[in-house]
Amino acid sequence: LYANVIGIQSRLLNEESEYNARLQRFEFVIAALALLMIIVAILYGRKIKKQTEDAQVEREKNFLLLAANKFSTQLFNSMADLLLVADNDGIIQKVNEATLNILGYKESEILGKPISILTQEKTFLTDEEFVHMTKHRKLIEVEKEFVCSNGEKLKVLISSSLIGEVDLAAVVVAKDITK
């Protein structure tokens, strides 16, 4: 009987020892999972913080772009001289209010049209002016005659500059010298 009790006690001790070892492994796995969850939470928090910072930077960029666009539009429209933007093909893309007021055109009559409609010549620039513009990327105070919507002629001095590297555009400023 004593031997049986000792055997049972020995088995119980072994089972308790195995149980404690399993419990320690289980606790280790739980601790490792908790640590992994903390690391994932930290990394995710950093990602969210970075996305939030990126979104804030993007909002600030958009605000600055809108402010710059508003400022340039106000500046563009507040000029007393005629101001036009033509694309690489010489098609008028934008004009300021002074251009419309002085020449008497409506925006719909002038936008999308070749810039040469202003001079009613075959081309807006002479060959010499074109070569100079291409070589130096600008023209300064070249005399032209613009034709108003009512047919009157207006003597102007134009200055022009190419903008862009691939998709070129020309900004043309014309000053009325008729008077």
Side-chain angles (χ1 to χ4, degrees):
L1 179 68
Y2 179 74
N4 282 343
V5 170
I6 296 291
I8 292 172
Q9 187 180 18
S10 177
R11 268 187 302 185
L12 287 175
L13 285 175
N14 280 344
E15 286 177 10
E16 182 180 0
S17 178
E18 277 182 37
Y19 174 78
N20 284 338
R22 286 184 189 151
L23 185 60
Q24 283 180 344
R25 284 191 301 263
F26 181 73
E27 287 173 348
F28 176 77
V29 168
I30 294 296
L33 285 173
L35 183 60
L36 184 61
M37 290 174 63
I38 289 170
I39 291 169
V40 167
I42 289 170
L43 293 176
Y44 185 71
R46 286 181 182 167
K47 180 180 177 185
I48 295 297
K49 183 180 177 187
K50 174 84 170 107
Q51 288 174 342
T52 302
E53 289 169 354
D54 290 349
Q56 179 64 26
V57 167
E58 194 62 32
R59 281 191 297 276
E60 288 172 7
K61 281 183 188 176
N62 287 340
F63 174 78
L64 291 174
L65 277 173
L66 287 172
N69 188 26
K70 185 176 180 179
F71 175 75
S72 64
T73 299
Q74 287 174 339
L75 181 65
F76 190 81
N77 284 324
S78 69
M79 290 185 64
D81 292 333
L82 290 78
L83 185 60
L84 305 101
V85 177
D87 66 15
N88 195 34
D89 296 321
I91 304 300
I92 300 170
Q93 298 298 315
K94 189 168 176 83
V95 296
N96 68 347
E97 291 174 15
T99 302
L100 300 174
N101 293 337
I102 293 169
L103 298 178
Y105 290 103
K106 293 180 185 168
E107 197 173 52
S108 60
E109 297 173 313
I110 199 168
L111 292 184
K113 304 288 191 301
I115 197 167
S116 59
I117 68 162
L118 297 176
T119 57
Q120 293 189 352
E121 300 287 332
K122 186 176 177 181
T123 60
F124 184 71
L125 299 176
T126 65
D127 290 342
E128 183 181 301
E129 292 165 347
F130 181 79
V131 168
H132 186 277
M133 181 78 155
T134 305
K135 184 176 179 182
H136 301 283
R137 300 182 58 86
K138 64 182 176 183
L139 284 176
I140 298 174
E141 296 188 344
V142 174
E143 194 171 313
K144 293 281 180 190
E145 219 175 48
F146 282 1
V147 179
C148 299
S149 66
N150 63 7
E152 288 183 29
K153 298 204 180 205
L154 183 73
K155 278 191 175 201
V156 294
L157 278 181
I158 69 159
S159 294
S160 183
S161 184
L162 292 178
I163 54 175
E165 295 300 322
V166 178
D167 293 327
L168 294 177
V171 176
V172 179
V173 178
K175 180 152 189 78
D176 182 3
I177 59 170
T178 305
K179 300 168 189 162

